[in-house]
Every structure is written in C-alpha cells, then in structure tokens.
Amino acid sequence: MSRPGMDGQFGRVVMARDGIDALIRLLDRQGFRVLGPTVKDAAVALAEISSTTDLPVGWTDAQDAASYRLVKHERETLFHYTVGAQSWKQFLYPSRTCLWRARRAGTELRIESGASPEQKMALFGVRSCDLHAIGIHDRVFAEGSYRDPGYVRRRSNMFVVAVNCSKAGATCFCTSMSTGPRATDGFDLCLTELTSPDGITYFVEAGSSYGQEMLAQLPSRTANEPDVSSVNVMITGTIRQMKRSLETAELKPLLQKNAEHRQWLDVGKRCLNCANCTMVCPTCFCVTVEDTTDLSGNAERRRAWDSCFTLDYSYIHGGHIRTSPQARYRQWLTHKLASWHDQFGSSGCVGCGRCITWCPVGIDITAEAGAIRKSVKIG
Amino acid sequence: MARMKAGEIIGIRGPFGTPWPVQEAEGNDLVIIGGGIGLAPLRPALYYTLANRSRFGKVVLLYGTRTPQDILYRKELEALRARFDLDVDVTVDRAGSDWHGDVGVVTRLIPKASFDPASTFAFICGPEVMMRFTAMALQKREVPLQNIYLTMERNMKCAIGLCGHCQMGPLFVCKDGPVFRYDRIRDIFTTREI
C-alpha cells in the first residue's frame, strides 16, 4: 500500500505464532482478501488463507533444475521453503481478463467495461525476489507512457507482508541480481522466522505507516539488539547457501552482440518450446488479445497470458518471424537479461530460479548466459 | 470491411507510433519506394508531399509488384505519371506480352532514378527482403543512411507496448516504430528471426 520507509523509521517487534494469526485476522477484518502460500498438489501454491494452519506448516522444499519436491521439516516452521511455481502476477495481472464487452441494443452497440468489482488484496509471505518482480511490473504497467488501469487499481489498494528467506533453494540466484534474500523495499510489514532451541519466533518490521498502524494492534514485544543480530545471522546463512550465480557485468552488450552465437543453436536443440519458463516467470508479461462474438451479436474483447515460445506469437500474414526453437529461446533470454534494460531501465530477471526448476528439461538461464560469456572470453 | 453497409459501426483506436518524417524531409529530394501492398502506408506521405510540392526538390515514386494485375491504385498511378513534377516508375516481377513496362525487382529502378543522393530522403515500405535490398541499393548510390526510413511490421495485440509481441530487439515496433531510421535498426534488421 505504500512505498517503503527508511531503515529504523518504523517499529520492529518480536511475536509468537499467535501474533501472525492475529495479523491475518486483522487484515481480514479490514476487508482484505488475504493471499498466501499453501500446500496444493504437492507443491507450495498461492491461495486465500485465513490462519497460519493454511500455510505450509512444517514443510520445506527441495528444488533443482527440472525438479521440485516438498519435504517434511523437523520444526513447525511457517516459512522454511522458497518460491513455488506461481508468482503474484496471477493476482495483479490475471491470466485471463475481459477488457470490455459490447451488447447490441436495437441498432446501437453498447460498450461496457469488462472489469468486475474486486476485493482489495493482502499479499502475505512475499519473498524479496517477488517484491522486486512487482517493482518491475510497476515500471511496465504503472509508470510508462501507457498504464494498465486494472493493474494500477489492484496495486494501489494492496497490502504487502514480506518474508525474509530462511533458506536458499538450489535454483535461487537473487544475490547475483541484487534482489534478495533480504526484503528492503516495497512492503508494509516484513517477517523473519527465527528458529532457536527455545522455539520459533517472528521478527516483524514495518515498512510503511499503514504497516506500523497494523503492527501496533498485534501481540508482541519490542525487538532488541540480539533479535536484530539473529535476523542478520539467518540472512547471512541464506546468502552462503546460494549456489547458483549469474555474472551481470556487461551482460546486456554481451548478449546483444552475440545474437548469432552457436550456444543458441545448442539450447535450441534442448528447448521444448513448452513456455513453462514464461508462465512461471514473475515478470514475463506478454499477453494476447482475442475478440469473441456470440450468435446474438454480443462481443467480448479478452486478454490472456501469451508466450514468446509459441509459434503463433510472431505470426504475421502468411508466416512466422521466429520459426526455430533457438530464435524463440534467444528472444526470451535476451529480452529478460538485455533489452529489458533498454525498455524499462532494469533487468527483467529477479533470480527467483522458477524458470530453472520448472523447465521440464532443466535448461538453466544462468548456465546459458554463462556459456556465452565463457566462450566469448576465450575467443 | 469491404462488405460493410452504410450505418454499420467500425471501432478505431489510434493513431499510434511514429509517422513518416515528411517535415524533416522538406528541402530535399524524396524517393518513395513501395513493394506490393506496401504502397498503401506510403500513400499519405506521397499526398502530403504533393500538397506541399514547392517544399521538396525532386519527388520520385518507385513501385514494384508481382504482376500488372496486382498494381495498387492503378488509376491514381496513371494520373500521377502524367505530372511533370513527379517521376513515377513501376516494375513487375512477371507479366504477359500485353505489359510494356519494366520487369524485375524494384531495386533495379533505383540506379536510373533521378535524384541527388547527398540531399535525398527515402521512405521504403514492403516485404523485409525487398526493404533490405532497397536500402542496399540506396546505399550504393550514397544516400546517407540517416536519411533512409523504413516501416516494420510485426504481430501486434495492443499498439501501446504492453503485449510484447512486436518486439524487435530492444524496440517495440508499435510505439518506437513502425517507421524507423535505417541506421538505427540496421544491425537488428539484418539478424534473422530476431
């Protein structure tokens, strides 16, 4: 709901699990639809939650290229896992939207907005990488020369509860992209789950005055220096766990100057063009627009997520621009890591690792970009 | 659309994107080069030029299409050909014995066209392969690259840079184009499948 505060400007408290439950209830009472991580189909999935029992309590995840498993954790933790396949874009920029509809009334056409009333949302358990992804979407949908009214509306009514990551997944590389694991920006409240032999507590800091107001209504005690250093120790541990990395220095010119590199052909042979990476990517925003008409003459203009990996994506009168798998992979990777800078002033990648985990053949964006860098250096 | 009747409703959004730089071209010779249906987007530029004829030097229209039957705006072109302040040259890829004009690709009209390369602007619209060779032929006559403009086409679903489809490297054809200065897109333009 807000832009972030300066460090230390807002309060920091420590609470037990009942404080988190009180927060969820408070958000509900204030009219928010509270969305957070749950367990569904053997994975962490985002859905409506009404108490901490809806969270993946005592679960952790094991991720790798083309692999995702939920594993039992020895403690009753609420947040000891990283991101699942879904990202918050499914709520902020839904996969299917009606833009407008037209109804025939005699000889007239009546145009109506496709927007239906929506409840304001509280995003609960947002990781730092995903906060940055939302920041990137803000630049695309809310800060450019054309705005998406639906996105702007949902975004401006939103409450964000961030969570600092207590572990790094094997596909995570947020440290390379400077997008985590500590949430520094763009939240109303930020939670850190602290596990000690004595029990599990939650360090909570406010990032906005609204967050501060909420915090004041929750059962807690004021945080002290040892609490702050526990948070720092935990985050340092997460950073140490991060195995994957992506060298970003001069990455944009490197990719833009190597459009004909043989690595594209190599990855083109492995890529199935299934579009999974674009669906799970928290920043991929491509959409298609379709008009439909029923027999009574009523029409709808609908928008749906699309992917640069499909053949139809580049279709123009009688032909496709990108027929080869390597051209489509090159489009995706160079857009994400290079031309995004030209278009929106930052990288389009937040290092969440979803595209690596959910690629059915385990193609790794960090390895593909790394292979080009390596060969160019040698050559 | 051609089958619609009077009173029916058409929705229009726009205009979007970049136009032909007709005002920038004033004071220079202007060569307008169309391929096939690509003549249509050039027509407003031609009519602007003719409406402001005194502001331009020589004005040349070069048009190439598949067969004599495919010539777009044929009657208009025949009328324009009668003017003394405009050169119109047409060529077709193939024709029967009843065609007495040029046969061959449009680039073959460029070496013999009358304009002063150093102070010439060129507007090109047609299939990408035609635009590529046309730009090369103009380069050969030493038309400055920054005076050559061409218009790109890509799949578009929004026209406001949000659907992603029309990307060509870092450019959105819908809002950064469709009319581009050749020297600014040459590297992308000559990369296959980008």
Side-chain angles (χ1 to χ4, degrees):
Chain A
M1 203 133 219
S2 57
R3 283 328 213 166
M6 306 291 286
D7 194 37
Q9 185 188 338
F10 297 112
R12 300 154 160 198
V13 302
V14 173
M15 58 178 67
R17 181 168 158 179
D18 66 342
I20 307 296
D21 272 306
L23 170 61
I24 297 171
R25 281 197 303 275
L26 182 59
L27 287 166
D28 178 63
R29 273 206 306 280
Q30 299 214 354
F32 288 101
R33 180 181 171 215
V34 187
L35 299 158
T38 64
V39 174
K40 191 178 174 249
D41 300 332
V44 169
L46 302 173
E48 278 187 43
I49 56 167
S50 56
S51 83
T52 56
T53 54
D54 293 330
L55 298 169
V57 183
W59 287 104
T60 188
D61 55 355
Q63 302 196 32
D64 212 332
S67 167
Y68 182 97
R69 297 284 179 277
L70 277 190
V71 184
K72 266 289 170 198
H73 188 49
E74 67 268 19
R75 305 291 297 269
E76 289 279 290
T77 47
L78 303 181
F79 301 110
H80 197 58
Y81 42 85
T82 59
V83 292
Q86 299 164 327
S87 69
W88 305 94
K89 80 174 174 183
Q90 66 176 318
F91 302 111
L92 287 166
Y93 200 63
S95 58
R96 286 173 195 282
T97 314
C98 176
L99 296 176
W100 53 265
R101 46 178 73 88
R103 297 188 190 287
R104 194 181 283 278
T107 54
E108 268 182 44
L109 269 186
R110 202 161 292 151
I111 311 280
E112 297 162 7
S113 164
S116 42
E118 287 171 41
Q119 195 182 350
K120 59 183 179 176
M121 292 184 285
L123 310 188
F124 186 92
V126 186
R127 305 303 173 127
S128 181
C129 55
D130 283 347
L131 283 177
H132 282 265
I134 292 168
I136 287 171
H137 272 182
D138 287 350
R139 289 195 284 282
V140 174
F141 295 128
E143 291 162 18
S145 38
Y146 297 96
R147 291 167 168 216
D148 183 77
Y151 180 88
V152 171
R153 191 174 58 245
R154 282 174 219 119
R155 185 72 180 89
S156 57
N157 289 322
M158 191 171 98
F159 192 90
V160 176
V161 181
V163 169
N164 284 325
C165 288
S166 55
K167 64 172 274 192
T171 55
C172 292
F173 58 100
C174 64
T175 46
S176 298
M177 307 314 293
S178 305
T179 54
R182 187 196 283 268
T184 55
D185 212 345
F187 56 80
D188 295 289
L189 291 173
C190 178
L191 315 180
T192 309
E193 189 170 50
L194 297 171
T195 352
S196 76
D198 307 333
I200 301 171
T201 52
Y202 298 88
F203 180 93
V204 188
E205 54 200 306
S208 72
S209 45
Y210 191 24
Q212 177 73 36
E213 254 173 62
M214 300 288 269
L215 203 57
Q217 300 174 59
L218 303 173
S220 67
R221 67 163 172 83
T222 309
N224 53 35
E225 275 313 306
D227 299 323
V228 173
S229 61
S230 300
V231 171
N232 293 339
V233 167
M234 192 205 81
I235 289 171
T236 310
T238 304
I239 292 168
R240 283 216 191 98
Q241 272 180 25
M242 209 150 322
K243 300 221 167 54
R244 273 188 165 76
S245 64
L246 174 66
E247 176 57 73
T248 56
E250 299 300 307
L251 186 56
K252 178 174 119 68
L254 178 82
L255 294 171
Q256 289 179 335
K257 280 179 195 154
N258 285 285
E260 309 284 7
H261 197 281
R262 64 180 184 282
Q263 187 65 23
W264 301 121
L265 200 61
D266 185 90
V267 69
K269 285 179 186 152
R270 287 173 279 135
C271 175
L272 307 177
N273 280 231
C274 72
N276 262 17
C277 50
T278 53
M279 294 295 107
V280 298
C281 177
T283 68
C284 271
F285 60 82
C286 286
V287 283
T288 187
V289 177
E290 286 164 356
D291 289 345
T292 59
T293 316
D294 67 21
L295 292 172
S296 60
N298 296 330
E300 270 190 12
R301 174 159 292 177
R302 295 180 194 153
R303 187 176 70 190
W305 288 357
D306 200 358
S307 171
C308 53
F309 281 93
T310 68
L311 189 57
D312 273 356
Y313 182 87
S314 66
Y315 178 82
I316 44 168
H317 52 76
H320 301 87
I321 304 291
R322 298 184 199 100
T323 53
S324 68
Q326 62 266 27
R328 290 181 236 162
Y329 188 86
R330 180 183 66 188
Q331 166 59 26
W332 177 71
L333 187 140
T334 51
H335 182 220
K336 192 76 32 189
L337 299 178
S339 44
W340 208 293
H341 287 276
D342 296 304
Q343 297 167 352
F344 304 110
S346 76
S347 172
C349 176
V350 295
C352 70
R354 286 182 177 94
C355 57
I356 308 171
T357 299
W358 299 96
C359 174
V361 293
I363 294 171
D364 177 346
I365 187 172
T366 66
E368 298 309 320
I372 292 176
R373 181 183 294 277
K374 205 172 154 198
S375 71
V376 170
K377 266 187 185 166
I378 292 164
Chain B
M1 227 194 296
R3 277 185 235 134
M4 291 182 81
K5 291 185 282 290
E8 293 196 68
I9 301 167
I10 298 175
I12 296 175
R13 296 164 68 222
F16 298 110
T18 54
W20 295 111
V22 278
Q23 279 163 350
E24 221 182 306
E26 286 175 7
N28 295 277
D29 291 353
L30 179 62
V31 189
I32 295 175
I33 309 172
I37 201 77
L39 186 59
L42 289 165
R43 191 168 171 267
L46 178 67
Y47 277 79
Y48 175 90
T49 311
L50 296 177
N52 300 279
R53 187 62 192 88
S54 60
R55 299 188 204 160
F56 293 87
K58 283 181 185 292
V59 179
V60 181
L61 173 67
L62 306 177
Y63 179 51
T65 192
R66 286 181 192 169
T67 70
Q69 288 73 43
D70 294 317
I71 294 173
L72 202 59
Y73 313 130
R74 184 161 186 158
K75 280 184 186 154
E76 278 179 52
L77 288 181
E78 284 171 355
L80 289 170
R81 238 173 116 95
R83 290 177 68 137
F84 290 111
D85 60 354
L86 172 70
D87 289 348
V88 178
D89 222 347
V90 177
T91 180
V92 296
D93 293 341
R94 53 184 184 276
S97 55
D98 54 341
W99 172 255
H100 302 291
D102 281 304
V103 175
V105 290
V106 73
T107 48
R108 291 173 64 176
L109 303 177
I110 294 169
K112 57 179 182 173
S114 168
F115 57 84
D116 173 16
S119 60
T120 288
F121 271 63
F123 298 166
I124 317 169
C125 182
E128 281 188 33
V129 61
M130 167 266 178
M131 294 199 287
R132 197 170 314 139
F133 284 96
T134 300
M136 278 161 59
L138 290 167
Q139 235 176 300
K140 217 172 188 175
R141 283 202 62 179
E142 295 181 355
V143 174
L145 293 190
Q146 67 270 23
N147 288 3
I148 301 175
Y149 287 81
L150 44 85
T151 177
M152 293 301 303
E153 190 168 11
R154 284 290 183 273
N155 188 343
M156 289 180 198
K157 297 289 184 180
C158 74
I160 53 175
L162 295 183
C163 82
H165 286 73
C166 70
Q167 284 177 84
M168 206 175 70
L171 304 165
F172 288 104
V173 171
C174 69
K175 60 174 192 179
D176 301 319
V179 175
F180 291 102
R181 218 172 85 176
Y182 181 60
D183 61 326
R184 288 183 177 151
I185 62 158
R186 188 165 54 153
D187 291 346
I188 307 167
F189 186 59
T190 51
T191 306
R192 289 179 71 85
E193 292 196 88
I194 205 153

